[in-house]
Amino acid sequence: MSEKKYVYLFEEGKSDMRALLGGKGANLAEMTIIGLPVPTGFTLTTEACNAYLAASKDFPEGMLEATFAALQVLESKTAKVFGDQDNPLLVSVRSGAAISMPGMMDTILNLGLNDISVLGLAKLTGDNRFAYDCYRRFIQMFCNVVLDIEHGQFDDIVEKHKRKLSLIFDHEIPAEELKSIIDEYKTLVKEEKGFDFPQDVKTQLTMAIRAVFDSWNNQRAIVYRRLNKIEDSLGTAVNIQCMAFGNMGLDSGTGVAFTRNPSTGEKELYGEFLVNAQGEDVVAGIRTPTPIAKMKEELPGVYQQFVDTCQNLENHYRDMQDIEFTVEKGKLYMLQTRNGKRTAKASVKVAVDMVIEGLITIEEALLRVDAEQINQLLHRQIDNSVKLEAIAKGLPASPGAACGKVLFDADQAEKQGEAGEKVVLVRSETTPDDIHGIIYAQGILTVRGGMTSHAAVVARGMGKPCVCGCESIKIDAPNRLFRVNQIIVKEGDVISIDGATGNVMLGEVPMIEPTLSDEFETLLSWANDNKSLAVRANADTPQDAAKAREFGAEGIGLCRTEHMFMAAERLPIVQEMILAETLAEREAALSELLPFQREDFYGILKVMAPFPVTIRLLDPPLHEFLPDHETLLLEIAEMKHQQIQGKELYEKEDLLKQIHSLSEANPMLGHRGCRLGITYPEIYRMQARAIFEAMIQLKKEGINSFTEVEIPLVMDVAELSLLKAEIMDVYAQLQQETACELDFAVGTMLELPRACVTTDEIAREAEFFSFGTNDLTQTTLGFSRDDAEGKFIPVYLDKKIIKDNPFAVLDRKGVGSLMKMAVEKARGVRKDVLMGICGEHGGEPSSIEFCHLIGLNYVSCSPYRIPVARLAAAQAKLKNS
Amino acid sequence: MSEKKYVYLFEEGKSDMRALLGGKGANLAEMTIIGLPVPTGFTLTTEACNAYLAASKDFPEGMLEATFAALQVLESKTAKVFGDQDNPLLVSVRSGAAISMPGMMDTILNLGLNDISVLGLAKLTGDNRFAYDCYRRFIQMFCNVVLDIEHGQFDDIVEKHKRKLSLIFDHEIPAEELKSIIDEYKTLVKEEKGFDFPQDVKTQLTMAIRAVFDSWNNQRAIVYRRLNKIEDSLGTAVNIQCMAFGNMGLDSGTGVAFTRNPSTGEKELYGEFLVNAQGEDVVAGIRTPTPIAKMKEELPGVYQQFVDTCQNLENHYRDMQDIEFTVEKGKLYMLQTRNGKRTAKASVKVAVDMVIEGLITIEEALLRVDAEQINQLLHRQIDNSVKLEAIAKGLPASPGAACGKVLFDADQAEKQGEAGEKVVLVRSETTPDDIHGIIYAQGILTVRGGMTSHAAVVARGMGKPCVCGCESIKIDAPNRLFRVNQIIVKEGDVISIDGATGNVMLGEVPMIEPTLSDEFETLLSWANDNKSLAVRANADTPQDAAKAREFGAEGIGLCRTEHMFMAAERLPIVQEMILAETLAEREAALSELLPFQREDFYGILKVMAPFPVTIRLLDPPLHEFLPDHETLLLEIAEMKHQQIQGKELYEKEDLLKQIHSLSEANPMLGHRGCRLGITYPEIYRMQARAIFEAMIQLKKEGINSFTEVEIPLVMDVAELSLLKAEIMDVYAQLQQETACELDFAVGTMLELPRACVTTDEIAREAEFFSFGTNDLTQTTLGFSRDDAEGKFIPVYLDKKIIKDNPFAVLDRKGVGSLMKMAVEKARGVRKDVLMGICGEHGGEPSSIEFCHLIGLNYVSCSPYRIPVARLAAAQAKLKNS
């Protein structure tokens, strides 16, 4: 039986062995191979870790033997002996997973020190104090990491001794005192654990390896993995490496450096170092590190070598490197290198610069920038360098940060906003009645409502920050204030909200304004050259449409007509239309709405021409346009109490009755979408007329527009046939009136499972398709978004039933299967039929990749997501070609 | 080019040519072929009709020529001549579609009469008056059917002449007077149509054929087809047949007869006849027909021949026949035969009797009874022989008829019902608080709520009549009455409701009690021998379970545990559990519920053992168990008004807040089903414990029960894994405590599209599956049942977007596709995994057939539907084998 190889000397590894050796181990191996000065060492593989964890913490067969054999190699290379009293070999033991998990795993330095070898270290360095200080630190670190004894207990001992000698700093403690501290450390260990601190160095190493393996499942690591979606099954490697000492005098030192500025992306060595120090000292914060540029003066002997090595590493890895190094008595040692974390801004600049420098290809540059991250560059951000306390947390409904005076009603918000005040509109939930206030507010904060609530949808459309469903806030309307926990926030007090996190903060917090760099534009133009998917915008107004074109939209994939119904001057007419008791009354109201709609469409089509505009006919249930039922109920009760009789009361009672009769148990699955068009064909006819009249007007002005008239919520081809006939009839009438030929198509959304199952039939009528994945997710999973995101999705994420919120990241297995089926069925009937997506997934990178994979023609997303979508579309193609 | 054959002489046809010749034509042909005395004739095919309608009412080429050729054959056979003044051939022209549409199409008798041939008829019969009366009737009938002139105008002319001569009856009008009536008829035609009544007999025939074809699309026919789901594309045939005259003296007559009693199924000749009369006279109701048995005395010459012919026909067609005949001067003519319509009771008896008589096979008998129809036999019915006026119409929520005193609250209903009064509980909608009243009511009537409302579900479970969502009723609670239109119904007034039609009637209406005959039992036992599907019951109580076994249930396919939570003494504990703020509080409330649940399960399992019982863990959203939000809101407003402060108000306010926080935008897609089990594992753990403890108790009594513990609303295997582990943990605990091994399985419902798309994954954990097609229909189509059935399904049916209400008849194309996919995926992983259906479709014949076709193991339906399901399951197998 051939034994598995669990231990690799650095020179046996390579950078592409990350999965086996971990990122750190693979890079140490790579640096060794390319001849960089790396302290010699070896790596225990992630397979060893997994075998150990699977076997209830039994080391796999042969692992320890191989470890000690590798240790012998180290001894012979360094001519040192592990645990020796003359020339002792000391090692560091570090964890290193395949995916970088900085700060998550535990590290032990100076392993190999005991009562004997400490003498050797003293001899070797000629520094008694140094040796005993190393020993003391090692015991403390080992006991903390391996034996789980708290740091504080060791610190108490040190403090006691410092007090005794009236010393302030640790480094002032003399060697003799350190020895007695070490004795007390040993006593502490015995008391705490019932056994002696291990003097056998192999036992030390074995215990340390075990501790590193165990640390894979410590709480911090588990939480980090969950947050960063790292599989639990990867396991960690263990790197065992000869120590290099940065604390052996003024020709020694330690530091970290980035090969480029990780914040701006500028090409400059960026980092800091400390002379005569070990890594710990930097972390402990006792001494302030020096900027890396000063190294030239302070460690001139190695500076140029270091600069060259950094450049070397960047060239070798073809990416910005994050490097740890130590200088021991004038000799440079590279301890670690990895691709450096960077801001969105830096990420873009580094990628573009490196293409210009010839270091990487355009394709590589496109793949190297996190598409999701560049969203940051488009919104005002809270300055993350400042630590802020949130007083409440809601749903991150629309990204960006806003700050302003708290106002509780839309009229005030409009008035003060118009007057130039910065205001944040705070409401239980918003309704169409609040739209004028929303327009003038910096941001919106609501107590109720989810990611698809009115506030959220409107705010996203406007690119305005919004925090929704912040249920810990209790609005006390009569007193014009809100309470959250013990805090009272009055009308006019300033708050800040972060629509990217859902945080609500007191006062004005520091913001970073968005800047779109030249590199950003360059990267996006490269993205356009490398993608198959077109990117369209969801836009309901000419303003949104213009913003969308600015960001490079290639059309509108979803223009919702209902938001046009919500404007203050139109809502009364809409309500009249809804409450009409006869067809004639309804048609009268509709004919009042016609000019408004025509004007809306005219504006949008004009901005977007000659790109296509998908106009969705009225979709939401009609009761959404009516006043709030509960408020009305209480008003009536109040009037009755005051014994107010007469017309006003009767009208209110009548209205309540009508609201009652329109109200639904499950409005999401109710009388909406094309069902409205089927029960009230006159509504869709008016909308079709408004579209065609707008197009005719444009045509007269010499502008050729193209519309895709979209029927929502279709579940059967018969619905589409019927409504398409109505639309074509309106067109035929207009053609007779004006003899004007227009360019348009009639199609439908795919947002119900039945539509996906019968897309072949629907394709007989539909000239285009657009996946409405918000609703398709709701129906496929049976998740009402408004209810699920507040109530059980967090629990599902926590219990790992789902990996992502299915409303944020498309559920490929469920929703995706239906989409794939629908595409195949549609294309089976109409080979080249246009198919897109207009749910919010259309702006999310993983979902966009899926859309690319199943062969959609375009994704459509909110204007501010277009850059993300363009990049993600290019990445999807590059990753899958 | 070979011309299509559009005309068939009777002797050229056969009974299996219904599609081409229509039912009537095919049967006339068949009777001719087997040598029965049928007046000679021929048939124009349905293809001729369809060609005519398709060509915008142009007769297809060659059709008229073939018609006249066939007419010549008739002339030579009868030695009569069409339009002849000595020996005229007269014909009837009748429609006849492939599917019998009685009373729907128009008929013309005596065609061929004109001013000349009427003389021939007079000569031939030696009866001047007879001839002119025939002519008059023919003109009137022709003008009405073909020329669309109202009957009334002709009647006015007749009346005028009768007044002039002071006559009472038509048959008293002398021949001369008839001639002047005929002249006035002709004038009327000229005035109305601008042309003369056609004297050319071939023109008469051509026009009559055209009229029959056109009548396929008259309003009555269209409505009938829609009601009876007959395809519009079938078209009608036209039968042209020599006249036989039953009105040529006392040795003539006409009649109709059934070969068995169509009401009871008894084997006896059943029908009536009139001496010296034509069919019209029977219809006109001027003379009272004589029971068929009297024919022996009144027409002795042909009676035995008629009896033999009837038996002959029944034997030939092997089914009960509905026969029309005429005796002309002692000679019997058979005019029509068809399978007779019959009541459910007769249908069952005839089928079973015919098997016993050796006339048909058991398989034929099973296929011959309409499964849906036998449902009638299980419920008290309103006597359909009485014509009743409904004052209102709601949804037919639970079949059967009830009548009783109107009561508006459950307490009264309980009190008076317990005292022996018959009461109908009338509520806006019912809640769990009303359950005690429902138990004692004869039936339930609600103003709001759909087919799945509380009232509907509870009533169906109890087999109690219920009409829901009867929105035209306005309850005036303070005055203890309800209004509907102008009618006021006070508390204590008697009403009747028909849960099969949704009708509400004033007063006590005549009822028919259900009786289960021996034949019914026989038929169902045959059904059991001929079906693959098992039939289980949806039952929530031991009473329901017992009823289910009585009807032959082979297990329980759905035992809903939430109804157990709704009982009056338990609801407060349930509310405590829901409103608990800590796990400890919730567990305390749950432990109070445990004994109740155990007792419930004990009772059901005991009744049903050894058959399996599928117990679904808690499914509905928790807010369903809390008081009504609106009522509470108004109560609080009222208390504030009266300036009532203190504990009661605060508690109410607190409760309102909690109801608010539990309330959902779309509860159907909200925090329910397994999502409850995942957020509150302690609830499912309690239920699992109650199940296992009940099983242990039974086992101690020597009863082996088998439960299928069912997790509702699963959309991903991870939900099931997690909850199955909880259940197995409870079982493991109990095993440790009692060392008792139990027989059970853990499985899930398939009621979300995502579950159907990922059934292969779910099958790794699920030991059985049950399709919850109510919810699966809601999510697949995006139809909230509560909203759709009232608001847009009626419009969809009307506009023919859907053929059936998808909640009544399974949508094979959409929901069915997903089911088929799920079955394939499940069986791919677990070859023989048990799969059933427990949605209401489980009791509907077409849906049951689909379940058979996709290979389910069982259907489950309410106890009262079990006989229907058993028969439908057998039919499904017989039809598809």
Side-chain angles (χ1 to χ4, degrees), chain B residues 375 378-380 397-402 438-439 441-444 455-466 499 514 538 541 543-544 547 551 560 862-865:
Chain B
N375 190 33
L378 303 167
H379 297 282
R380 221 149 64 113
S398 177
I438 296 174
I439 290 168
Q442 296 294 310
I444 322 297
V457 171
V458 171
R460 279 197 295 274
M462 295 184 184
K464 226 174 251 280
C466 175
N538 298 346
T541 63
Q543 294 75 33
D544 286 358
K547 178 59 83 180
F551 283 132
R560 284 164 289 230
S862 81
Y864 287 86
R865 298 287 303 184

Side-chain angles (χ1 to χ4, degrees), chain B residues 749-859:
Chain B
M749 294 189 78
L750 293 169
E751 45 188 340
L752 293 173
R754 195 180 192 280
C756 295
V757 171
T758 63
T759 315
D760 43 352
E761 296 192 359
I762 298 173
R764 294 201 313 260
E765 293 281 352
E767 294 165 307
F768 65 87
F769 289 101
S770 170
F771 285 100
T773 49
N774 294 348
D775 280 357
L776 189 58
T777 301
Q778 297 200 80
T779 46
T780 304
L781 277 67
F783 277 20
S784 162
R785 183 168 186 178
D786 285 338
D787 305 312
E789 288 192 329
K791 286 190 171 118
F792 55 88
I793 286 182
V795 181
Y796 270 49
L797 288 168
D798 195 49
K799 298 202 175 183
K800 297 199 188 172
I801 293 170
I802 50 179
K803 228 178 100 204
D804 298 292
N805 176 345
F807 295 106
V809 179
L810 191 100
D811 159 42
R812 294 190 187 194
K813 204 177 273 176
V815 176
S817 294
L818 288 173
M819 288 172 73
K820 198 155 172 288
M821 188 190 304
V823 171
E824 283 159 13
K825 282 176 182 267
R827 295 262 160 84
V829 174
R830 284 189 193 235
K831 200 164 146 287
D832 297 314
V833 68
L834 180 80
M835 301 189 85
I837 180 176
C838 66
E840 283 179 67
H841 300 103
E844 190 278 326
S846 149
S847 313
I848 291 169
E849 184 186 21
F850 184 75
C851 293
H852 173 85
L853 287 172
I854 61 170
L856 297 195
N857 301 95
Y858 69 85
V859 298

Side-chain angles (χ1 to χ4, degrees), chain A residues 288-568:
Chain A
T288 308
T290 318
I292 205 87
K294 293 265 179 187
M295 198 176 153
K296 192 172 185 177
E297 299 152 32
E298 300 200 13
L299 292 168
V302 293
Y303 181 70
Q304 196 51 46
Q305 185 196 355
F306 176 67
V307 171
D308 293 347
T309 305
C310 285
Q311 188 58 51
N312 219 330
L313 275 172
E314 194 183 86
N315 290 347
H316 183 73
Y317 283 101
R318 303 166 69 243
D319 199 356
M320 176 183 110
Q321 294 299 297
D322 170 1
I323 292 162
E324 289 178 24
F325 66 96
T326 284
V327 179
E328 182 181 318
K329 298 200 170 179
K331 180 160 168 43
L332 176 68
Y333 287 104
M334 305 304 282
L335 299 185
Q336 182 172 330
T337 191
R338 61 185 172 201
N339 293 340
K341 302 241 172 226
R342 61 207 84 174
T343 63
K345 188 181 162 71
S347 175
V348 171
K349 181 162 173 57
V350 168
V352 173
D353 284 353
M354 282 187 172
V355 171
I356 292 162
E357 292 163 23
L359 206 56
I360 60 175
T361 64
I362 286 175
E363 290 75 15
E364 285 172 307
L366 286 167
L367 286 169
R368 207 165 268 182
V369 177
D370 180 341
E372 189 58 48
Q373 206 190 7
I374 65 166
N375 190 33
Q376 288 175 16
L377 300 176
L378 303 166
H379 296 283
R380 219 147 67 111
Q381 295 293 316
I382 289 182
D383 185 348
N384 281 322
S385 64
V386 182
K387 190 81 192 159
L388 294 162
E389 189 148 358
I391 57 165
K393 194 175 172 74
L395 298 170
S398 177
C403 101
K405 285 164 61 177
V406 167
L407 286 178
F408 294 104
D409 74 81
D411 294 342
Q412 277 297 318
E414 181 183 27
K415 204 173 129 194
Q416 301 199 24
E418 215 173 358
E421 286 280 3
K422 294 193 167 177
V423 305
V424 173
L425 181 61
V426 181
R427 302 278 293 155
S428 277
E429 53 198 332
T430 65
T431 71
D433 290 340
D434 296 320
I435 197 93
H436 56 296
I438 295 174
I439 290 168
Y440 285 100
Q442 297 294 310
I444 322 298
L445 168 61
T446 72
V447 179
R448 286 203 293 276
M451 302 287 284
T452 47
S453 63
H454 177 259
V457 171
V458 171
R460 279 197 296 273
M462 295 183 184
K464 226 173 249 283
C466 176
V467 173
C468 275
C470 190
E471 302 206 351
S472 59
I473 283 180
K474 310 292 169 200
I475 295 182
D476 178 350
N479 294 313
R480 310 201 80 72
L481 54 84
F482 72 74
R483 287 192 182 77
V484 51
N485 301 321
Q486 306 305 325
I487 302 165
I488 291 176
V489 177
K490 297 207 196 78
E491 188 172 76
D493 289 355
V494 171
I495 61 168
S496 300
I497 61 170
D498 184 350
T501 61
N503 281 338
V504 180
M505 289 138 292
L506 285 181
E508 187 165 351
V509 301
M511 304 274 187
I512 302 169
E513 289 296 327
T515 44
L516 296 188
S517 62
D518 292 347
E519 287 89 357
F520 189 81
E521 296 294 347
T522 304
L523 190 77
L524 288 180
S525 75
W526 291 342
N528 273 21
D529 299 338
N530 282 282
K531 68 189 178 57
S532 306
L533 284 166
V535 175
R536 296 193 185 185
N538 298 346
D540 307 341
T541 63
Q543 294 75 35
D544 286 357
K547 177 58 83 180
R549 282 204 74 162
E550 213 174 278
F551 283 133
E554 298 156 87
I556 289 180
L558 176 63
C559 170
R560 284 164 289 228
T561 55
E562 53 267 26
H563 294 154
M564 304 170 184
F565 279 35
M566 287 176 175

Side-chain angles (χ1 to χ4, degrees), chain A residues 669 675 719 754 782 784 796, chain B residues 669 675 719 782 784 796 811:
Chain A
L669 306 177
R675 298 158 196 176
E719 296 168 316
R754 195 180 191 279
S784 162
Y796 270 49
Chain B
L669 306 177
R675 299 159 197 174
E719 296 170 315
S784 162
Y796 270 49
D811 159 42

Side-chain angles (χ1 to χ4, degrees), chain A residues 19-80:
Chain A
L20 190 65
L21 303 179
K24 193 178 287 170
N27 282 333
L28 285 166
E30 186 78 9
M31 287 197 289
T32 304
I33 297 285
I34 63 174
L36 296 183
V38 175
T40 184
F42 59 90
T43 304
L44 273 69
T45 65
T46 55
E47 285 177 356
C49 172
N50 288 330
Y52 165 83
L53 292 173
S56 308
K57 307 198 173 180
D58 260 353
F59 289 126
E61 217 183 301
M63 186 203 81
L64 275 186
E65 292 76 358
T67 302
F68 295 130
L71 200 64
Q72 279 186 332
V73 176
L74 261 52
E75 288 178 330
S76 68
K77 276 194 198 175
T78 56
K80 295 180 175 183

